[in-house]
Amino acid sequence: MAGLLAAAVLSEYATVTIVDADVLPEGPEPRRGLPQARHVHVMWSGGARAIEEILPGITDAWTAAGAIRRRLPTDLVTMTAHGWLPRYGEKQFTVSCSRDLLDSVVRARVTAMPGVGVLQRSRVRGLEGTTARITGVRVDTPQEEGLLLPADLVVDAGGRGSRSRLWLEELGAGVVPQAEVDSGLVYATRIFRAPEGAHALGFPIVNVQSDPRVPVPGRTATIVPIENGLWQATLSGTRGGQPTGDPDAFVPFAKDLRDPIVGQLLEGRTPLTDVAVTQSTTNRRLHFEKTDLPDGFFAVGDSVATFNPLYGQGMTVAAKGLLAVRALLRSGGLSRPGFGRAAQRALTPQVAAAWTLATSQDILYPGATGMRPKPGSGLLDAYVNRLMAGATVEEPLTAAFFEVITMTSPPTAWFRPEVLWRVLRASGRDTLKAPPLTAAERTVAGLDGAAGS
């Protein structure tokens, strides 16, 4: 996704070649290079709007292909660390579909752009250039090993497996500082056939989150209605509480959380896939912006920072960062001296904000490893906890919560005066006691008329 969006942004100013190790499918099919696509992916409204700026009309194209635009929190039943959120009118939105569909629509749009070409089944083997300037890459293609691709600019969108950090060191460009926070999170996902009539009714996303304030492994369960009448169900657990690939343990795991609703909804449903498990969920950040980078290079997306997928930040961070790069291009063009370094710095605020949100929670779980919170962070955590508690009972605070979580606004939005005074007087009392499913939703899901709220 980051590479496709980078190509779209740069195609206004240059001829772009995308190098990909896979054979790219024509439609919404899985590809080997993106194994995490099997799990729930969140396209927050902040990310959707950013991609819409890069590719106008993309949201309509997603929904035309089968994705579902879901209103937040209207179409969401979620138990946060502080309790159930009321289903108020729309504050933000998310696009619900498989990652394969999400990518395929963007891929079809970008690869059809004039000046954008793709080298498939090809792998970058190293950077060409000096400590002063990157001049291209060496690529192994099906026809030739070590093919030189000269370039005025090289963008690393290689993801978690990127090796540009090592390649830059080999060129003598210095060490790229790295930070990690690892909660030991494991993901497990299975696709189910949704109940008859659930999609037509607009059945909501259902999610039970963990509470990082409690010193036990953080375990979650989520059902996302996706295209073709399917439910995508993802379980997660931090170190000591991870889900497994055992199909017989999938529903019991979901029923054993802080609330059993996800397990109850899945019980008796027809699974259409095996359980897919992923363990590569470490938060990792490479500080390219702190390195004296050669000109003609910058990194984007998971090559810069990978986040715990639980927070759904990756695609949005990449898209919003590339909007900042586009602003640079429009102000000075690709040929401006030091463009790559300037682009790397422009990406940093989006990465930094997401990093803080993800790692400040993950480091709290038992057995988590990595950088510890900075002195004084306890006061900030107390404020955010108070805001989240207030979001369970006060609509303006619910709106403020989603404004930041969906990456529509930076975390500083939580400190606006109109939010601050509500947080200081928030109590979190009178929170909902049960999942706020409607009677019609409980009926279509076969919950046998159990009491709702």
Side-chain angles (χ1 to χ4, degrees):
M1 181 64 75
L4 289 168
L5 296 177
V9 166
L10 291 165
S11 67
E12 298 180 34
Y13 300 86
T15 299
V16 180
T17 300
I18 301 170
V19 181
D20 201 291
D22 285 340
V23 175
L24 299 181
E26 292 294 324
E29 302 294 333
R31 64 184 185 90
R32 188 176 59 181
L34 195 67
Q36 65 268 36
R38 298 171 297 180
H39 305 293
V40 163
H41 275 70
V42 177
M43 176 55 72
W44 294 123
S45 44
R49 292 188 188 105
I51 298 176
E52 189 76 30
E53 286 194 49
I54 297 170
L55 302 171
I58 198 67
T59 305
D60 287 343
W62 280 326
T63 55
I68 310 167
R69 185 189 184 279
R70 310 312 300 265
R71 302 163 296 168
L72 298 175
T74 319
D75 300 328
L76 175 68
V77 171
T78 184
M79 186 183 198
T80 70
H82 295 267
W84 297 101
L85 291 183
R87 296 170 67 179
Y88 296 124
E90 180 174 338
K91 314 302 177 192
Q92 299 294 331
F93 68 92
T94 186
V95 177
S96 295
C97 63
S98 68
R99 177 65 189 270
D100 294 336
L101 185 150
L102 202 69
D103 279 3
S104 69
V105 174
V106 173
R107 184 169 60 242
R109 180 81 169 271
V110 174
T111 56
M113 288 179 165
V116 175
V118 182
L119 275 181
Q120 302 185 52
R121 292 191 296 148
S122 300
R123 193 177 296 274
V124 176
R125 291 302 182 192
L127 296 170
E128 286 289 310
T130 66
T131 55
R133 182 169 188 86
I134 299 301
T135 57
V137 291
R138 290 281 176 182
V139 180
D140 290 344
T141 74
Q143 292 77 34
E144 182 177 350
E145 291 189 4
L147 172 68
L148 173 62
L149 290 184
D152 297 308
L153 176 69
V154 172
V155 180
D156 174 15
R160 285 181 180 268
S162 166
R163 299 182 62 200
S164 62
R165 178 172 180 254
L166 299 176
W167 295 334
L168 288 168
E169 290 179 17
E170 289 171 359
L171 288 174
V175 176
V176 181
Q178 178 174 310
E180 287 191 357
V181 172
D182 182 12
S183 67
L185 188 86
V186 171
Y187 259 74
T189 294
R190 209 170 194 193
I191 302 293
F192 292 81
R193 176 68 61 191
E196 188 71 28
H199 272 52
L201 182 65
F203 201 88
I205 298 167
V206 181
N207 168 248
V208 176
Q209 301 175 24
S210 57
D211 185 350
R213 300 168 301 169
V214 180
V216 297
R219 300 189 302 158
T220 75
T222 303
I223 294 173
V224 176
I226 61 172
E227 67 272 15
N228 301 323
L230 303 178
W231 277 359
Q232 189 173 38
T234 289
L235 313 176
S236 78
T238 61
R239 193 168 282 111
Q242 299 102 324
T244 69
D246 180 1
D248 293 332
F250 195 90
V251 171
F253 183 102
K255 292 179 70 174
D256 194 39
L257 302 188
R258 295 169 61 218
D259 190 281
I261 184 62
V262 171
Q264 291 170 349
L265 288 168
L266 294 177
E267 199 160 33
R269 301 281 159 231
T270 303
L272 302 179
T273 66
D274 293 330
V275 180
V277 177
T278 293
Q279 301 182 19
S280 300
T281 61
T282 301
N283 298 283
R284 185 202 66 180
R285 183 178 177 188
L286 298 176
H287 289 276
F288 288 101
E289 78 284 358
K290 295 182 179 180
T291 308
D292 188 16
L293 290 177
D295 207 358
F297 172 90
F298 73 90
V300 68
D302 283 7
S303 297
V304 177
T306 60
F307 307 100
N308 178 341
L310 187 67
Y311 308 114
Q313 297 167 310
M315 293 183 289
T316 297
V317 169
K320 298 195 80 168
L322 286 165
L323 281 182
V325 172
R326 188 177 71 173
L328 275 180
L329 285 166
R330 291 181 173 178
S331 66
L334 191 59
S335 60
R336 60 184 284 179
F339 173 79
R341 289 188 289 272
Q344 199 70 68
R345 289 192 297 270
L347 294 167
T348 299
Q350 296 296 332
V351 174
W355 177 261
T356 299
L357 286 172
T359 59
S360 64
Q361 299 299 299
D362 277 12
I363 199 62
L364 299 177
Y365 290 111
T369 61
M371 54 184 290
R372 312 308 297 184
K374 295 180 180 178
S377 62
L379 185 61
L380 175 61
D381 289 344
Y383 176 85
V384 173
N385 276 320
R386 196 173 181 88
L387 183 148
M388 292 177 66
T392 64
V393 291
E394 289 195 42
E395 189 168 356
L397 291 182
T398 309
F401 170 74
F402 278 105
E403 183 180 349
V404 172
I405 293 300
T406 61
M407 305 186 74
T408 298
S409 297
T412 52
W414 280 344
F415 300 94
R416 294 192 304 255
E418 65 271 23
V419 176
L420 181 63
W421 79 267
R422 287 185 179 276
V423 171
L424 295 179
R425 59 190 287 274
S427 68
R429 290 192 297 267
D430 302 320
T431 58
L432 299 172
K433 305 304 181 187
L437 289 162
T438 67
E441 289 162 354
R442 298 185 75 85
T443 297
V444 80
L447 294 185
D448 300 324
S453 57

